[in-house]
Amino acid sequence: MAEISISQPPLPSRAAPLRVWTALRRYPLIPIIIMLVVLVIPAIFANWVAPHSARVGSLSNRLVPPAWVEAEGEGIFAKPGGTWVHPFGTDEQGRDILSRIIYGARVSLIVAVVSILLAGITGTILGLMAGYFGGNVDHLIMRLVDIALSIPAILLALVLAVALGPSFQTVIIVIVSIFWSRYARLVRGEALRLKSQDFVARARVAGASNARIIARHIFPNVTNTIIVLATLEVGQVILLEATLSFLGAGLPKPTPAWGLMVASGRGLIVTAWWVAAFPCVAIVLAVLSMNLMGDWLRDKLDPKLRNL
């Protein structure tokens, strides 16, 4: 009589989770999580994530401490405790700190995207022209780069704030006028190297115009450099925007900007530390995560830029 063998299903291999973990370790998971939680998700879904209005408060809820702070004292000297209705507490006008931080992420991300996009386009075009054409064009553009790099950003922002008033446009003008030169200088160096390559010479012999050579042969080879530089500068732009708003030369009140929140809480640092502390933490986490992401992209896309 033939024996009947019953095959059992194969046991789940322990190698599969290990392979998944090994694949995930190639990516900067912690910076990505911090970036999503602190900057990207709050900026995109602020209307749904924020528990309260970022601009409207109640004086009856003025300077409520964070939820984990317990009440202290008795009688007229009693200090109220926190409540989970306002997890991070409220400011001097009774506005929810958490909601203002969430909407502040949207403000910081919009400023960073718009200013880096404008600065990148301007600097890339001028850098390609300077590197490819050389001669007087190169000298003129590089002297403009030297002038832009020598202008103190804070001083320029204060002058424009007096002339134009604190506004979103003022912040964008300041950031673009400073940051375009970094793209121009870096792209110019790459264009100088690429224009002497054989594929550019063959395109020139084949009758390609200068515009076609720049657009089809040189620009695609500098895109990795531009992406790396743009990622590294997101954190710098966020920090600069917060600094300008802190000094009163950036976004006007009552915009829920992180720099404005720190400025409004600096006089309350002893009695209501949370008004300034939590926006500072948000700035640090956002800038740190973007810098780490930029370092990772630099190593992956263009290892030659490790000294950038």
Side-chain angles (χ1 to χ4, degrees), residues 10-285:
L11 296 176
S13 175
R14 295 182 179 180
L18 183 60
R19 287 196 299 268
V20 173
W21 172 246
T22 304
L24 290 177
R25 287 182 61 185
R26 301 175 183 175
Y27 303 95
L29 293 180
I30 295 179
I32 289 175
I33 293 173
I34 295 175
M35 179 185 64
L36 291 176
V37 172
V38 176
L39 191 62
V40 177
I41 294 177
I44 297 175
F45 303 103
N47 295 338
W48 298 274
V49 175
H52 302 280
S53 172
R55 297 174 179 266
V56 180
S58 174
L59 292 179
S60 60
N61 293 326
R62 182 176 180 269
L63 297 179
V64 173
W68 57 88
V69 176
E70 298 180 355
E72 298 179 1
E74 296 180 355
I76 60 175
F77 299 102
K79 295 182 179 180
T83 172
W84 286 106
V85 177
H86 304 287
F88 287 0
T90 60
D91 61 7
E92 70 279 5
Q93 298 184 27
R95 297 172 296 192
D96 184 64
I97 297 293
L98 177 59
S99 300
R100 289 181 62 79
I101 290 176
I102 291 174
Y103 278 94
R106 172 179 290 180
V107 173
S108 297
L109 189 60
I110 291 175
V111 170
V113 170
V114 174
S115 58
I116 288 178
L117 186 62
L118 294 177
I121 293 174
T122 304
T124 299
I125 293 174
L126 294 178
L128 289 172
M129 292 174 59
Y132 182 79
F133 293 107
N136 293 330
V137 175
D138 184 24
H139 290 305
L140 176 60
I141 294 177
M142 294 314 296
R143 297 298 77 77
L144 293 176
V145 169
D146 293 336
I147 293 173
L149 291 174
S150 65
I151 297 176
I154 304 299
L155 179 60
L156 177 63
L158 293 175
V159 171
L160 290 178
V162 173
L164 305 177
S167 64
F168 179 83
Q169 291 79 6
T170 300
V171 174
I172 297 299
I173 291 173
V174 171
I175 296 175
V176 172
S177 62
I178 298 299
F179 281 77
W180 74 268
S181 56
R182 304 181 184 184
Y183 291 90
R185 185 173 60 176
L186 191 61
V187 172
R188 177 222 180 221
E190 290 292 307
L192 283 173
R193 179 181 62 86
L194 291 169
K195 77 174 184 178
S196 60
Q197 299 295 317
D198 292 339
F199 65 90
V200 175
R202 287 194 295 267
R204 191 178 293 114
V205 170
S209 63
N210 291 331
R212 183 178 178 83
I213 292 175
I214 292 175
R216 296 294 299 273
H217 299 281
I218 296 181
F219 174 71
N221 288 282
V222 301
T223 51
N224 287 349
T225 302
I226 297 171
I227 292 173
V228 171
L229 181 59
T231 307
L232 287 170
E233 287 191 341
V234 171
Q236 299 180 31
V237 170
I238 292 175
L239 191 59
L240 180 57
E241 181 272 319
T243 303
L244 298 179
S245 298
F246 178 84
L247 296 175
L251 299 174
K253 296 180 179 181
T255 305
W258 289 343
L260 285 175
M261 297 176 66
V262 176
S264 64
R266 62 181 173 177
L268 305 169
I269 197 65
V270 176
T271 58
W273 54 268
W274 56 89
V275 178
F278 290 120
C280 285
V281 172
I283 294 172
V284 170
L285 292 177

